[in-house]
Protein backbone atom coordinates (compact mmCIF):
# COMPACT_ATOMS: atom_id res chain seq x y z
CA UNK A 1 0.00 0.00 0.00
CA UNK A 2 1.23 3.45 -0.81
CA UNK A 3 0.62 6.17 1.77
CA UNK A 4 -1.56 7.95 -0.76
CA UNK A 5 -4.06 5.12 -0.61
CA UNK A 6 -5.57 6.54 2.56
CA UNK A 7 -7.37 9.35 0.79
CA UNK A 8 -9.58 10.11 -2.16
CA UNK A 9 -7.64 8.83 -5.10
CA UNK A 10 -5.67 5.64 -5.45
CA UNK A 11 -1.93 5.36 -5.65
CA UNK A 12 -1.87 3.92 -9.14
CA UNK A 13 -3.24 5.55 -12.26
CA UNK A 14 -6.01 3.91 -14.22
CA UNK A 15 -4.63 1.76 -16.98
CA UNK A 16 -4.54 4.36 -19.70
CA UNK A 17 -2.15 7.19 -20.20
CA UNK A 18 -2.68 9.65 -22.99
CA UNK A 19 -1.54 8.17 -26.26
CA UNK A 20 -0.76 4.78 -24.75
CA UNK A 21 -3.27 1.97 -24.74
CA UNK A 22 -4.03 0.38 -21.41
CA UNK A 23 -2.09 -2.82 -20.86
CA UNK A 24 -4.21 -5.67 -22.15
CA UNK A 25 -2.44 -8.50 -20.43
CA UNK A 26 -0.96 -8.89 -17.01
CA UNK A 27 -3.70 -6.66 -15.67
CA UNK A 28 -6.81 -8.76 -15.16
CA UNK A 29 -7.16 -11.02 -12.17
CA UNK A 30 -4.46 -9.61 -10.01
CA UNK A 31 -5.22 -5.91 -10.28
CA UNK A 32 -6.50 -5.43 -6.78
CA UNK A 33 -3.20 -6.44 -5.28
CA UNK A 34 -0.71 -5.44 -7.96
CA UNK A 35 -2.16 -2.16 -9.11
CA UNK A 36 -1.22 -0.47 -5.87
CA UNK A 37 2.36 -1.53 -6.05
CA UNK A 38 3.54 -0.23 -9.38
CA UNK A 39 2.79 2.57 -11.77
CA UNK A 40 2.28 0.19 -14.69
CA UNK A 41 3.14 -3.40 -15.47
CA UNK A 42 6.78 -3.99 -16.38
CA UNK A 43 7.46 -4.09 -20.09
CA UNK A 44 7.88 -7.84 -20.13
CA UNK A 45 4.28 -8.37 -19.09
CA UNK A 46 2.93 -6.31 -21.95
CA UNK A 47 1.15 -7.97 -24.84
CA UNK A 48 3.11 -8.89 -27.93
CA UNK A 49 2.94 -6.30 -30.72
CA UNK A 50 0.47 -8.32 -32.75
CA UNK A 51 -2.46 -8.00 -33.43
CA UNK A 52 -2.46 -4.28 -32.58
CA UNK A 53 0.88 -2.64 -31.91
CA UNK A 54 0.56 0.44 -29.74
CA UNK A 55 2.94 2.53 -31.81
CA UNK A 56 3.88 2.73 -35.46
CA UNK A 57 1.99 1.50 -38.48
CA UNK A 58 0.67 -2.02 -38.77
CA UNK A 59 0.32 -3.06 -42.44
CA UNK A 60 -2.43 -5.52 -41.48
CA UNK A 61 -4.68 -2.54 -40.65
CA UNK A 62 -4.28 -0.93 -44.06
CA UNK A 63 -7.37 -2.55 -45.66
CA UNK A 64 -9.47 -1.49 -42.67
CA UNK A 65 -8.13 2.06 -42.88
CA UNK A 66 -8.93 2.20 -46.59
CA UNK A 67 -12.47 1.01 -45.92
CA UNK A 68 -13.06 3.70 -43.30
CA UNK A 69 -11.51 6.41 -45.51
CA UNK A 70 -14.64 6.79 -47.61
CA UNK A 71 -13.45 9.78 -49.63
CA UNK A 72 -10.05 8.22 -50.26
CA UNK A 73 -8.22 11.29 -48.92
CA UNK A 74 -5.69 9.21 -46.98
CA UNK A 75 -6.89 10.87 -43.77
CA UNK A 76 -9.91 10.06 -41.61
CA UNK A 77 -12.25 12.88 -40.71
CA UNK A 78 -14.31 12.92 -37.55
CA UNK A 79 -17.34 12.03 -39.65
CA UNK A 80 -15.59 9.03 -41.24
CA UNK A 81 -14.43 7.75 -37.86
CA UNK A 82 -17.84 8.23 -36.32
CA UNK A 83 -19.42 6.21 -39.11
CA UNK A 84 -16.92 3.39 -38.59
CA UNK A 85 -16.82 3.05 -34.81
CA UNK A 86 -19.56 0.99 -33.25
CA UNK A 87 -20.15 -0.72 -29.94
CA UNK A 88 -20.62 -4.45 -29.53
CA UNK A 89 -24.37 -3.99 -30.06
CA UNK A 90 -23.78 -1.94 -33.23
CA UNK A 91 -24.85 1.36 -31.65
CA UNK A 92 -22.73 4.32 -32.77
CA UNK A 93 -19.99 5.68 -30.57
CA UNK A 94 -20.89 8.73 -28.52
CA UNK A 95 -19.66 11.76 -30.51
CA UNK A 96 -17.66 13.02 -27.54
CA UNK A 97 -15.71 9.72 -27.36
CA UNK A 98 -14.80 10.09 -31.03
CA UNK A 99 -13.66 13.70 -30.50
CA UNK A 100 -11.65 12.64 -27.45
CA UNK A 101 -9.86 9.90 -29.37
CA UNK A 102 -9.04 12.20 -32.26
CA UNK A 103 -7.53 14.68 -29.81
CA UNK A 104 -5.48 11.88 -28.26
CA UNK A 105 -4.12 10.35 -31.45
CA UNK A 106 -3.93 13.27 -33.84
CA UNK A 107 -0.18 13.68 -33.27
CA UNK A 108 0.32 16.25 -36.03
CA UNK A 109 -2.68 18.34 -34.87
CA UNK A 110 -4.24 18.26 -38.32
CA UNK A 111 -7.70 17.48 -36.98
CA UNK A 112 -7.56 14.32 -39.10
CA UNK A 113 -6.33 10.80 -38.40
CA UNK A 114 -3.64 9.49 -40.74
CA UNK A 115 -2.75 5.81 -41.09
CA UNK A 116 -0.09 5.73 -38.37
CA UNK A 117 -2.35 7.64 -36.01
CA UNK A 118 -5.15 5.22 -36.86
CA UNK A 119 -2.98 2.26 -35.90
CA UNK A 120 -2.36 3.83 -32.51
CA UNK A 121 -6.03 4.53 -32.04
CA UNK A 122 -7.03 1.03 -33.07
CA UNK A 123 -4.57 -0.62 -30.72
CA UNK A 124 -5.83 1.60 -27.93
CA UNK A 125 -9.43 0.58 -28.57
CA UNK A 126 -8.51 -3.10 -28.79
CA UNK A 127 -6.78 -2.87 -25.43
CA UNK A 128 -9.77 -1.11 -23.85
CA UNK A 129 -12.09 -3.69 -25.39
CA UNK A 130 -10.16 -6.42 -23.66
CA UNK A 131 -10.37 -4.59 -20.33
CA UNK A 132 -14.08 -3.91 -20.84
CA UNK A 133 -14.74 -7.61 -21.46
CA UNK A 134 -12.96 -8.52 -18.24
CA UNK A 135 -15.09 -6.18 -16.15
CA UNK A 136 -18.32 -7.13 -17.93
CA UNK A 137 -18.63 -10.08 -15.58
CA UNK A 138 -22.09 -11.19 -16.70
CA UNK A 139 -21.22 -10.84 -20.40
CA UNK A 140 -24.16 -8.52 -20.97
CA UNK A 141 -22.18 -6.33 -23.36
CA UNK A 142 -22.61 -3.42 -20.93
CA UNK A 143 -21.12 -2.39 -17.63
CA UNK A 144 -23.52 -2.31 -14.68
CA UNK A 145 -23.03 -0.15 -11.60
CA UNK A 146 -21.52 -3.10 -9.70
CA UNK A 147 -19.16 -3.91 -12.54
CA UNK A 148 -18.21 -0.25 -12.84
CA UNK A 149 -17.50 -0.06 -9.11
CA UNK A 150 -15.22 -3.10 -9.40
CA UNK A 151 -13.38 -1.58 -12.36
CA UNK A 152 -12.67 1.67 -10.54
CA UNK A 153 -11.41 -0.18 -7.47
CA UNK A 154 -9.16 -2.29 -9.69
CA UNK A 155 -7.82 0.90 -11.29
CA UNK A 156 -6.77 2.08 -7.84
CA UNK A 157 -9.47 4.66 -7.15
CA UNK A 158 -10.92 5.00 -3.69
CA UNK A 159 -14.24 6.72 -4.20
CA UNK A 160 -17.44 6.81 -2.18
CA UNK A 161 -20.37 4.74 -3.46
CA UNK A 162 -22.29 8.03 -3.78
CA UNK A 163 -19.69 9.50 -6.08
CA UNK A 164 -19.33 6.32 -8.13
CA UNK A 165 -23.11 6.43 -8.55
CA UNK A 166 -22.96 10.02 -9.75
CA UNK A 167 -20.20 9.19 -12.20
CA UNK A 168 -22.07 6.14 -13.43
CA UNK A 169 -25.27 8.08 -14.06
CA UNK A 170 -23.30 10.81 -15.83
CA UNK A 171 -21.95 8.34 -18.37
CA UNK A 172 -25.12 6.23 -18.58
CA UNK A 173 -26.15 8.76 -21.21
CA UNK A 174 -28.76 6.47 -22.69
CA UNK A 175 -30.38 6.04 -19.27
CA UNK A 176 -30.23 2.27 -19.38
CA UNK A 177 -28.71 1.51 -15.99
CA UNK A 178 -25.69 0.33 -17.98
CA UNK A 179 -22.66 1.86 -19.66
CA UNK A 180 -21.73 0.86 -23.19
CA UNK A 181 -18.15 0.33 -24.35
CA UNK A 182 -17.64 3.81 -25.82
CA UNK A 183 -18.90 5.53 -22.69
CA UNK A 184 -16.89 3.24 -20.41
CA UNK A 185 -13.75 4.35 -22.25
CA UNK A 186 -14.86 7.98 -22.11
CA UNK A 187 -15.59 7.82 -18.39
CA UNK A 188 -12.25 6.18 -17.54
CA UNK A 189 -10.27 8.69 -19.59
CA UNK A 190 -12.22 11.60 -18.10
CA UNK A 191 -11.64 10.34 -14.58
CA UNK A 192 -7.93 9.88 -15.30
CA UNK A 193 -7.63 13.41 -16.69
CA UNK A 194 -9.47 14.95 -13.73
CA UNK A 195 -7.33 12.96 -11.30
CA UNK A 196 -4.13 14.10 -13.00
CA UNK A 197 -5.19 17.73 -12.66
CA UNK A 198 -6.05 17.25 -8.99
CA UNK A 199 -2.67 15.63 -8.31
CA UNK A 200 -0.93 18.54 -10.01
CA UNK A 201 -2.36 20.91 -7.39
CA UNK A 202 -2.22 18.52 -4.44
CA UNK A 203 1.49 18.92 -3.73
CA UNK A 204 1.32 17.61 -0.19
CA UNK A 205 -0.96 14.72 -1.14
CA UNK A 206 -3.45 15.43 1.61
CA UNK A 207 -6.46 15.08 -0.67
CA UNK A 208 -7.33 18.79 -0.66
CA UNK A 209 -6.38 21.50 -3.12
CA UNK A 210 -6.62 25.28 -3.08
CA UNK A 211 -7.57 27.03 -6.29
CA UNK A 212 -7.84 30.66 -7.33
CA UNK A 213 -10.87 31.74 -9.36
CA UNK A 214 -8.99 31.64 -12.67
CA UNK A 215 -7.33 28.30 -11.86
CA UNK A 216 -10.76 26.87 -11.17
CA UNK A 217 -12.26 28.23 -14.39
CA UNK A 218 -9.23 27.19 -16.45
CA UNK A 219 -9.25 23.60 -15.22
CA UNK A 220 -12.98 23.20 -15.81
CA UNK A 221 -12.64 24.56 -19.32
CA UNK A 222 -9.73 22.25 -20.08
CA UNK A 223 -11.82 19.23 -19.12
CA UNK A 224 -14.49 20.06 -21.67
CA UNK B 1 -17.64 49.24 -5.86
CA UNK B 2 -18.31 46.18 -3.79
CA UNK B 3 -15.44 44.82 -1.72
CA UNK B 4 -15.56 41.67 -3.80
CA UNK B 5 -14.51 43.62 -6.88
CA UNK B 6 -10.89 43.48 -5.78
CA UNK B 7 -10.43 39.87 -6.75
CA UNK B 8 -11.12 37.45 -9.54
CA UNK B 9 -14.82 37.69 -10.10
CA UNK B 10 -17.02 40.74 -10.24
CA UNK B 11 -19.59 41.73 -7.72
CA UNK B 12 -22.54 41.41 -10.06
CA UNK B 13 -23.65 38.31 -11.90
CA UNK B 14 -23.77 38.28 -15.67
CA UNK B 15 -27.18 39.24 -16.90
CA UNK B 16 -28.70 35.80 -17.02
CA UNK B 17 -29.90 33.64 -14.21
CA UNK B 18 -31.13 30.17 -14.89
CA UNK B 19 -34.61 30.31 -16.29
CA UNK B 20 -34.70 34.10 -16.46
CA UNK B 21 -33.78 35.97 -19.59
CA UNK B 22 -31.14 38.65 -19.25
CA UNK B 23 -32.62 42.12 -18.93
CA UNK B 24 -32.92 43.57 -22.42
CA UNK B 25 -33.26 47.20 -21.50
CA UNK B 26 -31.64 49.36 -18.87
CA UNK B 27 -28.46 47.36 -19.30
CA UNK B 28 -26.59 48.69 -22.31
CA UNK B 29 -24.61 51.90 -22.16
CA UNK B 30 -24.41 52.26 -18.44
CA UNK B 31 -23.40 48.73 -17.49
CA UNK B 32 -19.88 49.57 -16.53
CA UNK B 33 -21.04 51.83 -13.75
CA UNK B 34 -24.37 50.33 -12.74
CA UNK B 35 -23.60 46.64 -12.97
CA UNK B 36 -21.36 46.83 -9.94
CA UNK B 37 -23.96 48.46 -7.80
CA UNK B 38 -26.92 46.14 -7.99
CA UNK B 39 -27.67 42.49 -8.47
CA UNK B 40 -29.99 43.20 -11.40
CA UNK B 41 -31.86 46.20 -12.72
CA UNK B 42 -34.95 47.18 -10.73
CA UNK B 43 -38.20 45.82 -12.10
CA UNK B 44 -39.26 49.19 -13.49
CA UNK B 45 -36.31 49.21 -15.89
CA UNK B 46 -37.24 45.86 -17.40
CA UNK B 47 -38.69 45.64 -20.87
CA UNK B 48 -42.45 45.60 -21.35
CA UNK B 49 -43.93 42.11 -21.68
CA UNK B 50 -44.36 42.39 -25.44
CA UNK B 51 -43.01 41.12 -27.84
CA UNK B 52 -41.57 38.22 -25.80
CA UNK B 53 -42.79 37.85 -22.24
CA UNK B 54 -40.26 36.08 -20.05
CA UNK B 55 -42.81 33.84 -18.37
CA UNK B 56 -46.08 32.27 -19.35
CA UNK B 57 -47.46 31.56 -22.78
CA UNK B 58 -47.63 34.21 -25.48
CA UNK B 59 -50.38 33.41 -28.02
CA UNK B 60 -48.46 35.36 -30.67
CA UNK B 61 -45.79 32.64 -30.62
CA UNK B 62 -48.23 29.83 -31.30
CA UNK B 63 -47.84 29.88 -35.12
CA UNK B 64 -44.06 29.78 -34.72
CA UNK B 65 -44.29 26.90 -32.26
CA UNK B 66 -46.54 24.97 -34.66
CA UNK B 67 -44.06 25.53 -37.48
CA UNK B 68 -41.16 24.19 -35.42
CA UNK B 69 -43.20 21.21 -34.15
CA UNK B 70 -42.72 19.26 -37.39
CA UNK B 71 -44.32 16.04 -36.20
CA UNK B 72 -47.28 17.87 -34.66
CA UNK B 73 -46.76 16.19 -31.28
CA UNK B 74 -47.35 19.41 -29.34
CA UNK B 75 -43.84 19.10 -27.90
CA UNK B 76 -40.51 20.09 -29.42
CA UNK B 77 -37.75 17.50 -29.46
CA UNK B 78 -34.08 18.40 -29.41
CA UNK B 79 -33.95 17.58 -33.11
CA UNK B 80 -36.87 19.89 -33.92
CA UNK B 81 -35.37 22.74 -31.94
CA UNK B 82 -31.95 22.24 -33.49
CA UNK B 83 -33.47 22.43 -36.95
CA UNK B 84 -35.26 25.66 -36.08
CA UNK B 85 -32.59 27.64 -34.26
CA UNK B 86 -30.13 29.51 -36.43
CA UNK B 87 -27.68 32.32 -35.98
CA UNK B 88 -27.88 35.64 -37.78
CA UNK B 89 -25.84 34.17 -40.62
CA UNK B 90 -28.12 31.10 -40.86
CA UNK B 91 -25.56 28.70 -39.41
CA UNK B 92 -27.08 26.12 -37.08
CA UNK B 93 -26.87 26.49 -33.34
CA UNK B 94 -24.11 24.53 -31.65
CA UNK B 95 -25.70 21.28 -30.37
CA UNK B 96 -24.47 21.96 -26.84
CA UNK B 97 -26.26 25.34 -26.75
CA UNK B 98 -29.50 23.60 -27.75
CA UNK B 99 -29.05 20.96 -25.05
CA UNK B 100 -28.24 23.66 -22.49
CA UNK B 101 -31.39 25.59 -23.33
CA UNK B 102 -33.58 22.51 -23.15
CA UNK B 103 -32.16 21.75 -19.70
CA UNK B 104 -32.89 25.34 -18.64
CA UNK B 105 -36.47 25.58 -19.90
CA UNK B 106 -37.74 22.01 -19.66
CA UNK B 107 -39.59 22.75 -16.40
CA UNK B 108 -41.41 19.41 -16.28
CA UNK B 109 -38.22 17.42 -17.02
CA UNK B 110 -39.84 15.64 -19.95
CA UNK B 111 -36.82 16.14 -22.20
CA UNK B 112 -39.18 18.00 -24.54
CA UNK B 113 -40.19 21.64 -24.82
CA UNK B 114 -43.91 22.35 -24.56
CA UNK B 115 -45.52 25.60 -25.70
CA UNK B 116 -45.17 27.46 -22.40
CA UNK B 117 -41.58 26.32 -22.06
CA UNK B 118 -40.97 27.44 -25.64
CA UNK B 119 -42.26 30.92 -24.84
CA UNK B 120 -39.78 31.20 -21.99
CA UNK B 121 -36.96 29.96 -24.18
CA UNK B 122 -37.88 32.34 -27.00
CA UNK B 123 -38.01 35.36 -24.70
CA UNK B 124 -34.66 34.37 -23.27
CA UNK B 125 -33.10 34.18 -26.73
CA UNK B 126 -34.63 37.49 -27.79
CA UNK B 127 -33.15 39.15 -24.72
CA UNK B 128 -29.71 37.63 -25.39
CA UNK B 129 -30.00 38.69 -29.03
CA UNK B 130 -30.49 42.25 -27.94
CA UNK B 131 -27.45 42.09 -25.63
CA UNK B 132 -25.38 40.44 -28.34
CA UNK B 133 -26.23 43.23 -30.78
CA UNK B 134 -25.13 45.85 -28.27
CA UNK B 135 -21.74 44.24 -27.78
CA UNK B 136 -21.26 43.56 -31.49
CA UNK B 137 -19.95 47.10 -31.86
CA UNK B 138 -18.87 46.79 -35.49
CA UNK B 139 -22.11 45.06 -36.52
CA UNK B 140 -20.19 42.13 -37.97
CA UNK B 141 -22.73 39.62 -36.70
CA UNK B 142 -20.02 38.06 -34.53
CA UNK B 143 -18.24 38.95 -31.32
CA UNK B 144 -14.52 39.65 -31.62
CA UNK B 145 -12.05 39.23 -28.76
CA UNK B 146 -12.21 42.97 -28.00
CA UNK B 147 -16.00 42.95 -28.01
CA UNK B 148 -16.01 39.84 -25.84
CA UNK B 149 -13.64 41.48 -23.38
CA UNK B 150 -15.94 44.50 -23.17
CA UNK B 151 -18.97 42.29 -22.60
CA UNK B 152 -17.34 40.42 -19.71
CA UNK B 153 -16.23 43.67 -18.07
CA UNK B 154 -19.77 45.01 -18.44
CA UNK B 155 -21.10 41.83 -16.81
CA UNK B 156 -18.92 42.57 -13.80
CA UNK B 157 -16.13 40.04 -14.33
CA UNK B 158 -12.57 40.96 -13.54
CA UNK B 159 -10.50 38.49 -15.51
CA UNK B 160 -6.97 38.59 -16.85
CA UNK B 161 -6.55 39.16 -20.60
CA UNK B 162 -4.87 35.73 -20.73
CA UNK B 163 -7.89 34.01 -19.28
CA UNK B 164 -10.36 35.96 -21.42
CA UNK B 165 -8.28 34.84 -24.41
CA UNK B 166 -8.48 31.21 -23.29
CA UNK B 167 -12.22 31.47 -22.81
CA UNK B 168 -12.64 33.17 -26.18
CA UNK B 169 -10.67 30.48 -28.03
CA UNK B 170 -12.63 27.77 -26.22
CA UNK B 171 -15.92 29.10 -27.56
CA UNK B 172 -14.55 30.14 -30.96
CA UNK B 173 -15.33 26.55 -31.92
CA UNK B 174 -15.30 27.31 -35.62
CA UNK B 175 -11.82 28.83 -35.31
CA UNK B 176 -12.81 32.09 -36.93
CA UNK B 177 -11.41 34.58 -34.43
CA UNK B 178 -15.04 35.41 -33.71
CA UNK B 179 -17.86 34.01 -31.60
CA UNK B 180 -21.30 33.54 -33.09
CA UNK B 181 -24.52 34.28 -31.23
CA UNK B 182 -25.19 30.72 -30.04
CA UNK B 183 -21.67 30.32 -28.67
CA UNK B 184 -21.74 33.75 -27.05
CA UNK B 185 -24.83 32.68 -25.13
CA UNK B 186 -23.25 29.33 -24.30
CA UNK B 187 -20.04 30.95 -23.05
CA UNK B 188 -21.83 33.49 -20.86
CA UNK B 189 -24.07 30.85 -19.29
CA UNK B 190 -21.10 28.54 -18.71
CA UNK B 191 -19.10 31.32 -17.10
CA UNK B 192 -22.06 32.22 -14.90
CA UNK B 193 -22.50 28.61 -13.78
CA UNK B 194 -18.80 28.17 -13.01
CA UNK B 195 -18.76 31.45 -11.09
CA UNK B 196 -21.77 30.41 -9.03
CA UNK B 197 -20.05 27.18 -8.04
CA UNK B 198 -16.88 29.03 -7.08
CA UNK B 199 -18.83 31.49 -4.95
CA UNK B 200 -20.56 28.59 -3.20
CA UNK B 201 -17.18 27.37 -1.91
CA UNK B 202 -15.57 30.78 -1.40
CA UNK B 203 -17.28 31.56 1.91
CA UNK B 204 -14.81 34.23 2.95
CA UNK B 205 -14.75 35.83 -0.51
CA UNK B 206 -10.97 35.88 -0.70
CA UNK B 207 -10.87 34.51 -4.23
CA UNK B 208 -9.51 31.10 -3.23
CA UNK B 209 -11.34 27.87 -2.54
CA UNK B 210 -10.32 24.55 -1.01
CA UNK B 211 -11.74 21.39 -2.53
CA UNK B 212 -11.53 17.72 -1.65
CA UNK B 213 -10.92 15.21 -4.43
CA UNK B 214 -14.59 14.24 -4.70
CA UNK B 215 -15.76 17.88 -4.53
CA UNK B 216 -13.42 18.67 -7.39
CA UNK B 217 -14.59 15.73 -9.51
CA UNK B 218 -18.25 16.39 -8.73
CA UNK B 219 -18.12 20.04 -9.73
CA UNK B 220 -16.32 19.32 -12.98
CA UNK B 221 -18.85 16.64 -13.86
CA UNK B 222 -21.75 18.96 -13.09
CA UNK B 223 -20.39 21.55 -15.51
CA UNK B 224 -20.41 19.12 -18.41
Amino acid sequence: MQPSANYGYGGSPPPSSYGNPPPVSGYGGRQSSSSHQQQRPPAVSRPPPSPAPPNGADPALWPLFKAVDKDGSGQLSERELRAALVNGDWTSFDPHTVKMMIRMFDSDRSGLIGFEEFCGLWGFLAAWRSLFDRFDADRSGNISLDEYTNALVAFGYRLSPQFVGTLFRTFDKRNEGAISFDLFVQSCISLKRMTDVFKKYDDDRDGYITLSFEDFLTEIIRQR
Side-chain angles (χ1 to χ4, degrees), chain A residues 53-141:
Chain A
N55 294 309
D58 175 5
L61 290 177
W62 182 244
L64 178 61
F65 181 80
K66 294 285 282 179
V68 176
D69 182 21
K70 292 289 180 205
D71 66 1
S73 65
Q75 300 276 332
L76 306 185
S77 65
E78 185 181 329
R79 180 192 294 259
E80 286 168 336
L81 263 179
R82 207 162 50 199
L85 295 174
V86 292
N87 288 301
D89 60 357
W90 299 98
T91 54
S92 308
F93 264 38
D94 184 77
H96 189 68
T97 309
V98 178
K99 277 185 212 294
M100 193 178 244
M101 290 195 317
I102 292 176
R103 268 208 305 270
M104 287 171 68
F105 289 95
D106 176 24
S107 329
D108 61 2
R109 296 278 169 264
S110 64
L112 301 168
I113 295 294
F115 179 56
E116 266 200 47
E117 294 166 344
F118 176 74
C119 292
L121 187 156
W122 198 256
F124 175 86
L125 279 183
W128 271 107
R129 180 82 228 175
S130 164
L131 265 183
F132 179 85
D133 289 343
R134 286 187 201 174
F135 288 110
D136 178 21
D138 64 0
R139 298 279 177 269
S140 65

Side-chain angles (χ1 to χ4, degrees), chain A residues 150-188:
Chain A
N150 291 339
L152 296 187
V153 168
F155 294 164
Y157 290 106
R158 294 169 55 91
L159 299 163
S160 71
Q162 289 72 26
F163 179 73
V164 174
T166 300
L167 200 62
F168 184 83
R169 284 186 300 276
T170 301
F171 288 96
D172 176 18
K173 291 191 187 180
R174 295 164 193 124
N175 251 320
E176 301 170 326
I179 295 185
S180 52
F181 173 64
D182 56 332
L183 290 166
F184 177 72
V185 174
Q186 192 187 121
S187 79
C188 294

